[in-house]
Amino acid sequence: MRLPDLEAWAIFATVAEHRSFTAAADALGLSKATISKAVSRLEADIGQSLFHRTSRRLALTEAGRPLAEHAALILASAHVAEEAARDAASAPAGRIRLAAPMTFGVGKIAPLLADFLAAHPGIEIDLHLSDARVDIVAEGFDIALRIAELPDSSLRARRLCTIQTYLVAAPSYLAAHGTPTHPGQLGDHALLGYTNINGPWRFRGAGGVEVSVKAEGPISANSGEALLPALVAGLGITRLPAFILGDTLETGAVVELLPEWRAAPVGLHLLTPPSPLRPARVEALIAFLADHLRD
């Protein structure tokens, strides 16, 4: 059996990441000639060109684009295997890149990380907070937390808990525009939309009856927290989770609407790249987050 040219695949992955033979040579500490020969060797093995080469730029070919993803996984798996061998003889150490939603990350994740780091002094965490959906593999994240119903993908996903959302409005808005008594009436109201969740709002009532409503109104945002000022000011109705609403329900700044028509709950998911191999430091953080976020 002929073994794959793993060195060439790893070098190809690095060239694809940097879009440059020179930059890949610098990153790997190899000569540019070695880099070029490895890529040419791989192209000869598979019978396809991997890059379009010009004097000014280097671009992946149609065949090269999907193969670059496979090559990145091969390289990442090799790194993980080496780290696992080292970790077996010592305490978990190294950097973890973690992505989380902005408000949830600030309010819930950052406090937990302080406890985690105190227990694992050899670990460093690069926390990336954004409500945008990150590409875990392409952007090099070890873990991503995502509050959503997940589409099918090659990523490994673990559901940690359920997040319930609430339909709410300020008393001043209801006094001026009336209180809806059925989801079907929401189309006549100003709805404040969260743009990172595609599609209409869906509600389920008694007997499993479902109603869908398109969210349209004076403001939409890719951050749920950014909708709070407009909500409290009485500019419309929106749907938000408790960790964003904070104490606005308890203080009466907003009131819940249609409690008998619950929106379908969404899950808090922990996502990791598709490789089954993970460094001990990543496994430690996964176990910690799963234990502390399950409720």
Side-chain angles (χ1 to χ4, degrees):
M1 181 181 69
R2 180 178 178 276
L3 293 175
D5 190 343
L6 296 179
E7 180 187 48
W9 281 103
I11 289 174
F12 166 52
T14 307
V15 175
E17 178 186 358
H18 292 279
R19 293 295 194 273
S20 166
F21 281 81
T22 301
D26 292 340
L28 296 174
L30 301 173
S31 69
K32 185 177 177 181
T34 299
I35 298 295
S36 180
K37 288 178 181 178
V39 172
S40 296
R41 191 168 71 242
L42 184 58
E43 289 177 324
D45 285 345
I46 65 176
Q48 298 185 79
S49 295
L50 296 170
F51 294 104
H52 294 298
R53 299 169 175 85
T54 69
S55 59
R56 294 189 174 183
R57 64 190 298 266
L58 190 70
L60 287 163
T61 63
E62 192 70 24
R65 280 195 291 272
L67 291 176
E69 296 182 9
H70 290 298
L73 290 176
I74 291 171
L75 182 56
S77 295
H79 285 313
V80 169
E82 289 182 345
E83 291 177 3
R86 289 194 296 267
D87 289 342
S90 61
R95 190 175 72 150
I96 301 173
R97 297 201 71 216
L98 169 65
M102 178 64 73
T103 306
F104 188 79
V106 171
K108 303 295 183 182
I109 301 303
L112 290 178
L113 294 183
D115 293 337
F116 176 80
L117 291 173
H120 299 84
I123 295 178
E124 302 172 0
I125 294 179
D126 177 7
L127 178 61
H128 176 88
L129 298 178
S130 173
D131 287 336
R133 181 170 294 185
V134 299
D135 186 327
I136 298 175
V137 175
E139 298 180 46
F141 286 102
D142 299 294
I143 301 172
L145 296 171
R146 191 168 292 167
I147 300 173
E149 292 308 316
L150 300 180
D152 291 337
S153 77
S154 61
L155 299 176
R156 301 178 71 189
R158 177 175 180 176
R159 189 183 182 102
L160 299 182
C161 66
T162 296
I163 304 291
Q164 182 65 55
T165 59
Y166 299 87
L167 186 71
V168 291
S172 60
Y173 175 86
L174 301 177
H177 302 282
T179 302
T181 59
H182 188 278
Q185 298 172 357
L186 292 175
D188 299 325
H189 288 267
L191 305 181
L192 313 179
Y194 177 55
T195 57
N196 276 338
I197 296 180
N198 297 323
W201 293 352
R202 293 182 174 86
F203 300 88
R204 176 170 292 183
V209 177
E210 294 189 355
V211 178
S212 296
V213 179
K214 185 176 181 180
E216 295 181 325
I219 183 172
S220 59
N222 64 354
S223 167
E225 192 172 24
L227 299 176
L228 274 180
L231 172 69
V232 175
L235 297 184
I237 298 171
T238 194
R239 193 176 68 178
L240 292 172
F243 68 84
I244 290 180
L245 289 171
D247 62 356
T248 56
L249 278 169
E250 287 75 11
T251 62
V254 302
V255 296
E256 184 181 4
L257 305 176
L258 307 177
E260 68 279 12
W261 288 88
R262 282 292 186 190
V266 294
L268 170 64
H269 295 88
L270 187 150
L271 305 179
T272 57
S275 173
L277 297 174
R278 292 189 291 235
R281 63 179 182 275
V282 175
E283 292 285 7
L285 182 56
I286 289 173
F288 180 87
L289 292 175
D291 182 56
H292 287 78
L293 295 174
R294 60 188 176 187
D295 296 327

